[in-house]
Amino acid sequence: MDFRRPLLAATGVRKTYRTGTVEVTALRDLDLTVEHGELVGVMGPSGSGKTTLLNCLSGLDDIDAGRVEVEGRDLFAMSDAERTEHRARAMGFVFQAFNLIPVFTAAENVELPLLLTGTPPREARARAIGMLERVGLESRVTHRPSELSGGEQQRVTIARALVARPAVVWADEPTGNLDSIMAGQVMDLLTALNRDEGQTIVLVTHDEAIGRRLPRLVRMRDGRLVSDQRQTELQRAG
């Protein structure tokens, strides 16, 4: 990994959705840079383009114009297969909906990304259990999602996102389905992973209280970035 250049560099990114004769521009010539080890929050009103931004920066959605580089590689100069492989190797995802496989145990859910990229089963299981221990679920390894609380399920998704040691984790409203206590616990975990292990995280949230906890907060409106503040600036503004 080359720490001399930004982990993520997006330049002039534009995304337009078309339905029949109707066009909606979700991202408008957007620029964003994320350095290695940053924890960046993205906030904005509904329809401002937050989720579209994450989908385009991760290569889940195509873009209509611009350039997105992750680890120095242009995502949209890759073939679909290359982009899928890069995403599996370099990115982790945490969503508002936990997206766990109901019939799998916590360990089986977490090891799945490793198995899909060719990690030997014994190593995959050991790494999955180690990551579940890291997120405080050592006693829930053999439990299925229906046997876990909402907060515990989200911890499993975080473990799954981190088990392949990705360069960046994309988190889209990771506390949206949780009560305030569980949301606080999940944010404690994410901030600790960033602080203690240098994990780069880009996190979409609508919660102002969560936004105030983040070292850097980017705000969006109508598909554009309208502010980009560091924590010291946020504290002064508060």
Side-chain angles (χ1 to χ4, degrees):
M1 191 177 295
D2 186 356
F3 290 93
R4 295 170 298 178
R5 67 173 73 195
L7 174 63
L8 166 76
T11 308
V13 174
R14 189 182 312 134
K15 176 65 177 178
T16 300
Y17 293 105
R18 297 170 178 84
T19 304
T21 59
V22 177
E23 292 190 355
V24 177
T25 301
L27 299 178
R28 304 171 184 270
D29 302 321
L30 185 145
D31 298 339
L32 179 66
T33 299
V34 176
E35 301 292 341
H36 296 269
E38 280 200 289
L39 171 52
V40 182
V42 181
M43 294 192 72
S46 178
S48 61
K50 304 183 299 296
T51 294
T52 299
L53 176 65
L54 254 63
N55 289 344
C56 289
L57 296 183
S58 63
L60 288 172
D61 279 357
D62 289 328
I63 61 176
D64 295 303
R67 182 182 180 92
V68 177
E69 291 186 359
V70 177
E71 293 187 302
R73 299 186 64 188
D74 185 344
L75 287 186
F76 298 100
M78 301 178 189
S79 68
D80 287 345
E82 289 172 331
R83 193 155 64 240
T84 298
E85 186 280 330
H86 186 260
R87 194 161 48 239
R89 179 186 60 80
M91 302 179 187
F93 294 86
V94 180
F95 299 105
Q96 180 174 345
F98 309 130
N99 294 337
L100 298 173
I101 299 175
V103 298
F104 281 10
T105 65
E108 289 167 340
N109 270 284
V110 173
E111 73 186 1
L112 185 59
L114 298 175
L115 296 173
L116 292 175
T117 54
T119 302
R122 183 171 295 183
E123 179 186 345
R125 177 57 58 91
R127 286 173 60 179
I129 291 173
M131 188 54 66
L132 286 167
E133 291 172 350
R134 176 66 184 86
V135 301
L137 293 178
E138 58 274 6
S139 64
R140 297 289 190 267
V141 169
T142 61
H143 287 58
R144 290 181 171 81
S146 62
E147 301 170 311
L148 303 172
S149 70
E152 288 171 336
Q153 289 185 62
Q154 193 61 297
R155 285 172 178 261
V156 174
T157 69
I158 292 169
R160 183 181 60 190
L162 292 169
V163 73
R165 304 186 185 107
V168 58
V169 168
W170 310 102
D172 190 1
E173 298 281 7
T175 62
N177 282 338
L178 305 177
D179 63 33
S180 60
I181 294 175
M182 288 184 178
Q185 292 172 350
V186 166
M187 285 307 303
D188 288 344
L189 174 60
L190 290 172
T191 54
L193 289 165
N194 169 257
R195 180 188 65 244
D196 300 339
E197 301 179 18
Q199 176 64 58
T200 306
I201 302 171
V202 180
L203 182 152
V204 163
T205 182
H206 68 277
D207 190 326
E208 290 285 347
I210 289 175
R212 287 192 294 270
R213 295 187 55 173
L214 302 176
R216 179 183 173 195
L217 183 60
V218 171
R219 292 186 183 271
M220 295 186 66
R221 184 176 294 278
D222 299 328
R224 294 187 173 92
L225 297 187
V226 295
S227 70
D228 186 347
Q229 292 181 297
R230 304 288 172 172
Q231 182 61 33
T232 52
E233 296 169 328
L234 294 169
Q235 289 171 339
R236 287 199 297 270

